[in-house]
Amino acid sequence: QVQLVESGGGSVQAGGSLRLSCTPSQSTYSTDCMAWFRQAPDKKREGIATIAIGGVTNYADSVKGRFTISKDNARNTAYLQMNNLRPEDTAMYYCAADPAAVCTSIGKWHDEYYRYWGQGTQVTVSG
């Protein structure tokens, strides 16, 4: 079973930046689709960014223009660059992956479509 390992979370002031990383526990694992979700206290988990094979990206409106998802294929690592952070971005951030083309399908924002998940990394933005 492939596990994903996130890192890079922390506490920042509003307007600050963080970069999250996501790496599979098995270095030989590669995927067509990686995504970032987040879950704030007492809220449902929401998809915020996806990246498909070929580098096609999608963003939720709440993060568009502020967050950038990317993937280093040589390192098999996905990143989420988060700029101009706001207090409402405070949440546990999760990396997800799936071998299929979920990232470009209508299911891309639905967590049940992704087979592999990380344990999450906390992001706290104070204002």
Side-chain angles (χ1 to χ4, degrees), residues 9-121:
S11 298
V12 294
Q13 296 282 332
S17 299
L18 286 172
R19 189 176 81 154
L20 307 183
S21 300
C22 171
T23 303
S25 58
Q26 298 177 18
S27 61
T28 56
Y29 175 75
S30 63
T31 179
D32 290 342
C33 168
M34 297 186 82
W36 288 96
F37 284 72
R38 68 184 181 185
Q39 187 169 21
D42 299 322
K43 291 190 176 181
K44 289 181 60 177
R45 188 158 55 183
E46 63 167 339
I48 57 173
T50 70
I51 185 164
I53 191 168
V56 177
T57 57
N58 286 282
Y59 297 94
D61 289 342
S62 58
V63 305
K64 198 173 293 183
R66 301 187 298 123
F67 292 9
T68 302
I69 188 171
S70 60
K71 188 169 181 285
D72 183 334
N73 291 317
R75 297 176 183 271
N76 206 22
T77 297
Y79 301 96
L80 185 68
Q81 178 67 44
M82 305 185 295
N83 297 329
N84 192 20
L85 283 160
R86 305 166 179 168
E88 55 264 38
D89 294 318
T90 295
M92 186 71 78
Y93 284 69
Y94 297 91
C95 177
D98 195 89
V102 175
C103 289
T104 54
S105 76
I106 58 173
K108 59 182 174 290
W109 301 131
H110 297 272
D111 55 11
E112 64 266 28
Y113 281 76
Y114 293 84
R115 271 174 266 188
Y116 307 115
W117 290 86
Q119 295 298 309
T121 185

